[in-house]
Amino acid sequence: MNPRQQERQLQVWLEKHQGLLVKVARSFARNRHDQDDLLQEIGLQLWRSIPNLNPDVAESTWIYRVALYTAISWTRKDSKHREKRQTLAEEPIANDPNPDPRVDWLYEKIAELNPIDRSLALMMLDGIQHRDIAETLGLSVTNVGVRLHRIKKHLSSLLDQETTDEL
């Protein structure tokens, strides 16, 4: 693939999968500046991955894999990203005219999960099948199911606790 075709492919991916990329950045980076930096890093890694694209893997699975591995690596490189504990709702990437506090709460709680569980939760929310999640993250299908069950149970208990605290 020549550089011009590679550039076109990247632009198609960035436009088509913008929501996915924003979700990953929002879940792994704590503030707007870091989210923008992470999105740029993901874009660079997607560009670099194009020559290695496996035609047997679904495009969205490939994009998720690159985005999640990049985000996990990015957070490990610099501990300052983990030390900044601002809520994600303070500086969202997307300018949603009607923000939903429930969605903000969910992103905030997902951001508190470890990187693999965070990745699992994001992929689950996108409706990705357990088999594809397992392939993307290098886990067994059974492990994906068990971990997702535990994540759902954990998030439900947090919601129940906050609801009870408000009463």
Side-chain angles (χ1 to χ4, degrees):
M1 181 177 288
N2 69 43
R4 178 166 275 164
Q5 292 170 318
Q6 192 171 347
E7 183 177 343
R8 274 193 295 251
Q9 180 65 58
L10 179 64
Q11 287 304 317
V12 167
W13 283 355
L14 292 177
E15 289 173 20
K16 185 175 178 182
H17 300 285
Q18 179 184 12
L20 179 156
L21 300 173
V22 167
K23 272 193 272 191
V24 170
R26 186 174 181 191
S27 296
F28 281 83
R30 302 288 185 244
N31 62 53
R32 176 68 186 244
H33 176 74
D34 287 344
Q35 291 166 359
D36 290 342
D37 286 350
L38 180 53
L39 279 172
Q40 286 184 350
E41 183 64 24
I42 291 170
L44 176 63
Q45 294 308 321
L46 283 171
W47 167 267
R48 289 179 177 162
S49 78
I50 291 172
N52 301 321
L53 178 63
N54 181 347
D56 298 331
V57 175
E59 180 180 282
S60 61
T61 301
W62 184 266
I63 305 263
Y64 244 127
R65 180 181 293 163
V66 172
L68 291 172
Y69 286 174
T70 301
I72 290 168
S73 174
W74 182 84
T75 49
R76 286 182 183 156
K77 282 182 187 175
D78 195 346
S79 63
K80 72 177 181 174
H81 299 294
R82 282 180 259 136
E83 292 172 6
K84 294 180 181 177
R85 295 310 251 181
Q86 297 175 344
T87 63
L88 296 173
E90 287 178 3
E91 296 185 50
I93 287 180
N95 293 326
D96 187 354
N98 301 312
D100 187 339
R102 296 171 301 179
V103 172
D104 291 338
W105 178 89
L106 183 60
Y107 275 112
E108 185 177 317
K109 298 309 173 196
I110 289 173
E112 294 171 359
L113 299 172
N114 71 55
I116 297 299
D117 287 349
R118 196 177 317 163
S119 302
L120 285 161
L122 290 174
M123 295 178 86
M124 175 196 63
L125 290 173
D126 269 346
I128 296 178
Q129 304 238 341
H130 287 86
R131 176 182 37 89
D132 294 331
I133 295 172
E135 181 183 329
T136 299
L137 298 177
L139 302 170
S140 71
V141 175
T142 303
N143 192 343
V144 167
V146 168
R147 289 177 84 146
L148 285 174
H149 175 74
R150 289 179 184 160
I151 291 166
K152 289 177 193 177
K153 190 174 179 179
H154 173 70
L155 292 173
S156 291
S157 70
L158 289 175
L159 182 60
D160 289 345
Q161 182 180 12
E162 288 189 20
T163 304
T164 303
D165 290 348
E166 289 178 4
L167 295 177

